[in-house]
């Protein structure tokens, strides 16, 4: 059982695919993600905060079904506490690119990260893609170690950060 260290009673978040009704809570989580880890995601807090709710709602509706892209959330009831997404690689059949991985600070160190990645993996396999790949900013050692514990391996591939040219990212892969 996952235990929320911030509470005195057990609380088990449900890890599930986003639903259209999650748009407002997903927007709140996205803003938290960007405030907490601004280098890990591909937009700024200011840009995300300025985006109209209708755009969040449309994105959530799009990723709530289908096999091209999906988002998964950790929902203990109330505020969302984790997220991971997956998208079919445009360049490599059989590969899902994992994106937007985040666990709110009070839930770090629990099984929640593993549960989110495992859910992306189940979806990926069901879509006929047996491998996961993600990219980590070089120097984000906490994330790197966490992904190693989850079975990802460093491929040795290094790529420029998509929005900050002076930074690099490393690629990691594992079976879905």
């Amino acid at each position: 059982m996952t235990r929320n260290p911030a509470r005195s009673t057990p609380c088990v978040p449900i890890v599930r695919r986003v639903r259209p009704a999650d748009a407002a809570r997903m927007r709140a989580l996205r803003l938290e993600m960007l405030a907490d880890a601004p280098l890990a995601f591909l937009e700024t807090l200011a840009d995300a905060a300025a985006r109209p709710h209708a755009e969040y709602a449309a994105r959530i509706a799009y990723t709530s079904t289908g096999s091209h892209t999906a988002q998964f959330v950790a929902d203990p009831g109330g505020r969302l506490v984790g997220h991971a997404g997956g998208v079919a690689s445009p360049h490599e059949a059989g590969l899902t690119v994992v994106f937007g991985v985040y666990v709110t600070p009070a839930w770090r160190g629990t099984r929640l990260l593993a549960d989110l990645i495992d859910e992306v993996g189940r979806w990926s396999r069901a879509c006929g893609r047996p491998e996961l790949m993600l990219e980590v900013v070089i120097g984000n050692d906490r994330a790197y170690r966490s992904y190693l514990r989850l079975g990802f391996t460093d491929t040795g591939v290094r790529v420029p950060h998509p929005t900050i040219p002076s930074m690099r990212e490393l690629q990691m892969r594992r079976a879905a």
Side-chain angles (χ1 to χ4, degrees), residues 3-111:
R3 188 179 207 45
N4 179 343
R7 296 181 183 213
S8 60
T9 58
C11 183
V12 181
I14 297 167
V15 175
R16 60 169 174 78
R17 194 160 185 180
V18 293
R19 301 175 188 138
D22 294 327
R25 293 188 306 150
M26 189 56 223
R27 181 179 189 275
L29 182 63
R30 179 70 178 169
L31 296 177
E32 176 187 330
M33 292 163 66
L34 291 165
D36 185 46
L39 298 178
F41 305 105
L42 302 182
E43 70 180 331
T44 67
L45 177 58
D47 288 344
R51 186 174 318 113
H53 175 75
E55 286 186 31
Y56 279 95
R59 170 86 177 159
I60 297 305
Y62 175 72
T63 61
S64 68
T65 63
S67 61
H68 177 70
T69 187
Q71 293 185 68
F72 298 90
V73 292
D75 185 359
R79 175 176 170 278
L80 299 175
V81 297
H83 174 273
V87 62
S89 170
H91 307 293
E92 190 175 335
L95 178 67
T96 291
V97 178
V98 179
F99 69 89
V101 179
Y102 181 77
V103 174
T104 198
W107 284 90
R108 292 178 188 155
T110 68
R111 276 219 30 95

Side-chain angles (χ1 to χ4, degrees), residues 143-165:
Y144 180 78
R145 287 189 307 271
S146 294
Y147 294 131
L148 286 174
R149 282 191 296 273
L150 296 178
F152 284 88
T153 58
D154 187 336
T155 65
V157 174
R158 303 298 184 259
V159 297
H161 187 280
T163 60
I164 305 169

